[in-house]
Amino acid sequence: MWYSHCFISLEGQDNALISLPVSFVERENCSDISSDSRTYTLSNNYSARGECFNWDVPNEAVNRYTLALDEYTLSVECDKACYEFQVYINKRIISPEPKINIVVNKGENFTFTSRYIYTVKE
């Protein structure tokens, strides 16, 4: 299993909005965050210890998400599907974490590419 730890600062932010594909299935712990369709609102009032929220991705169909903060949006796409998606958040940072199942046998190679697109809001 591989997953990123892309820590993004929440300094000066009231909320973080994360938009996920419809194929992502909420786990029970997602009931603690509000959702408007497939966009979830996470406030930065969590403790220093933080919280994790998880989604299952049946059939490993896609690996993309969008994180919107006050000043910019981060859109992420990966050419390797994920089987689970997790968001870790505490009072200082948010970390979207798509989990990829990788099996590489001896003598084989494996590559994948993730693209991070920052768009500054005007």
Side-chain angles (χ1 to χ4, degrees):
M1 174 185 64
W2 176 93
Y3 63 99
S4 64
H5 284 91
C6 186
F7 297 123
I8 299 166
S9 174
L10 290 175
E11 185 176 337
Q13 304 293 313
D14 292 326
N15 296 306
L17 303 175
I18 190 144
S19 298
L20 303 174
V22 296
S23 58
F24 286 32
V25 178
E26 299 173 359
R27 290 198 185 158
E28 283 184 26
N29 63 352
C30 291
S31 63
D32 294 340
I33 55 179
S34 63
S35 169
D36 174 18
S37 184
R38 299 305 296 165
T39 299
Y40 298 84
T41 302
L42 297 105
S43 62
N44 71 349
N45 60 359
Y46 298 101
S47 68
R49 182 172 173 253
E51 296 289 335
C52 284
F53 300 99
N54 301 78
W55 293 260
D56 290 316
V57 183
N59 303 319
E60 299 186 20
V62 295
N63 189 348
R64 68 176 178 269
Y65 62 90
T66 300
L67 177 66
L69 300 173
D70 292 340
E71 297 176 5
Y72 65 90
T73 299
L74 171 65
S75 297
V76 181
E77 297 177 359
C78 181
D79 61 5
K80 174 68 175 157
C82 62
Y83 68 91
E84 180 182 348
F85 188 83
Q86 175 175 294
V87 173
Y88 171 77
I89 186 170
N90 67 24
K91 66 181 182 178
R92 297 179 301 117
I93 60 99
I94 186 168
S95 179
E97 300 170 351
K99 297 180 180 182
I100 297 174
N101 185 21
I102 298 173
V103 177
V104 182
N105 296 311
K106 186 176 180 176
E108 293 180 342
N109 293 315
F110 178 86
T111 62
F112 66 95
T113 302
S114 293
R115 208 171 100 173
Y116 294 79
I117 303 166
Y118 285 91
T119 306
V120 177
K121 294 180 182 177
E122 294 186 30

